[in-house]
C-alpha cells in the first residue's frame, strides 16, 4: 500500500468516527417537549385513583330546613324486625313456600303461588309447631294448617281446603338451602 491510499483510508475512518460521535451526542441531548394543547388533554387518558371503598361520601349533611315532626308524623312508619325469621320450603306435590315466622307474635305468613295467608300458632309446643288460619290459601272460605317440625323448622306439612272441607290438599315440605 502506498502512503496516499493510507491517508485516504485514515481520513475516511476519522470522518466516520466524527459522524458517529456527533450522532450519539445529539441523541443524548434533551429535546424540548411540544407544548400541551387542549386537544391533547381531552384525548389523553387521565389517571383515576382506585379504591376498594365505596364511592359514597363520608360526610353527613343535616339539612336545617327539614319539615317538623308534626308534618311528617302521618307519613312515617317505623318497624323493628326482631324475632322475624324467613325460610323457603320446597313441597311435594310441587309448591314453593316462603314462610316468615314472627316468633314474638306466635304467627307465620305463608306466601305461595296459590296465595298468601297469615296463620296463628295454636299450640304451646315447639315440636311440632302448629299454625292455623280460617281462610284458604287464595283468601276464600276454607282453612290452612301449617305444621313445622324440628328445632330448626326443617320440615313442614300444609293442609288446606276451600269451602268443601272434605277435599283437603296435603303438601310435604322440606327447607330449601
Amino acid at each position: 500500500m502506498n502512503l496516499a491510499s493510507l491517508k485516504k483510508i485514515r481520513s475516511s475512518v476519522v470522518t466516520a468516527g466524527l459522524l458517529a460521535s456527533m450522532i450519539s451526542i445529539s441523541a443524548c441531548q434533551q429535546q424540548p417537549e411540544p407544548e400541551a394543547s387542549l386537544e391533547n388533554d381531552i384525548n389523553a387518558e387521565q389517571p383515576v385513583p382506585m379504591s376498594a371503598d365505596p364511592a359514597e361520601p363520608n360526610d353527613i349533611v343535616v339539612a336545617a330546613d327539614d319539615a317538623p315532626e308534626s308534618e311528617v308524623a302521618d307519613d312515617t312508619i317505623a318497624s323493628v324486625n326482631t324475632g322475624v325469621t324467613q325460610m323457603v320450603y320446597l313441597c311435594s306435590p310441587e309448591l314453593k313456600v316462603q314462610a316468615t315466622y314472627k316468633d314474638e307474635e306466635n304467627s307465620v305468613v305463608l306466601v305461595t303461588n296459590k296465595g298468601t295467608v297469615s296463620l296463628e300458632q295454636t299450640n304451646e309446643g315447639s315440636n311440632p309447631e302448629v299454625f292455623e288460619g280460617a281462610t284458604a290459601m287464595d283468601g276464600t272460605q276454607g282453612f290452612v294448617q301449617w305444621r313445622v317440625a324440628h328445632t330448626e323448622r326443617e320440615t313442614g306439612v300444609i293442609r288446606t281446603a276451600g269451602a268443601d272441607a272434605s277435599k283437603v290438599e296435603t303438601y310435604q315440605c322440606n327447607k330449601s338451602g
Side-chain angles (χ1 to χ4, degrees):
M1 278 186 134
N2 63 21
L3 189 58
S5 65
L6 283 176
K7 284 185 181 182
K8 281 185 179 181
I9 292 175
R10 186 176 113 203
S11 69
S12 297
V13 170
V14 170
T15 305
L18 286 173
L19 183 61
S21 62
M22 287 176 52
I23 291 173
S24 64
I25 290 174
S26 66
C28 292
Q29 292 180 351
Q30 290 186 342
Q31 300 289 328
E33 292 185 18
E35 292 184 27
S37 67
L38 181 59
E39 186 175 298
N40 289 346
D41 286 346
I42 292 172
N43 292 333
E45 190 172 320
Q46 299 296 323
V48 177
M50 299 298 284
S51 173
D53 295 333
E56 298 172 7
N58 291 333
D59 300 333
I60 298 174
V61 178
V62 177
D65 58 343
D66 281 348
E69 180 183 345
S70 60
E71 290 181 19
V72 295
D74 294 335
D75 295 339
T76 306
I77 298 173
S79 63
V80 178
N81 290 334
T82 57
V84 175
T85 307
Q86 289 187 334
M87 296 184 172
V88 175
Y89 296 88
L90 297 178
C91 306
S92 174
E94 188 173 333
L95 183 69
K96 183 177 179 181
V97 176
Q98 179 180 347
T100 304
Y101 295 96
K102 298 177 183 177
D103 293 328
E104 292 177 0
E105 298 173 14
N106 292 328
S107 66
V108 65
V109 176
L110 301 180
V111 179
T112 69
N113 60 346
K114 294 185 176 204
T116 301
V117 64
S118 294
L119 308 173
E120 299 296 321
Q121 189 169 2
T122 59
N123 69 338
E124 294 293 321
S126 63
N127 196 10
E129 293 175 89
V130 180
F131 299 90
E132 293 181 356
T135 61
M137 292 291 271
D138 59 4
T140 61
Q141 181 182 359
F143 76 92
V144 174
Q145 184 182 67
W146 171 245
R147 292 177 180 255
V148 63
H150 306 292
T151 56
E152 297 296 320
R153 297 174 171 152
E154 295 172 4
T155 61
V157 174
I158 296 177
R159 296 181 67 235
T160 184
D164 185 1
S166 66
K167 295 184 180 178
V168 176
E169 294 178 356
T170 302
Y171 299 88
Q172 298 289 333
C173 305
N174 292 313
K175 187 168 84 171
S176 173

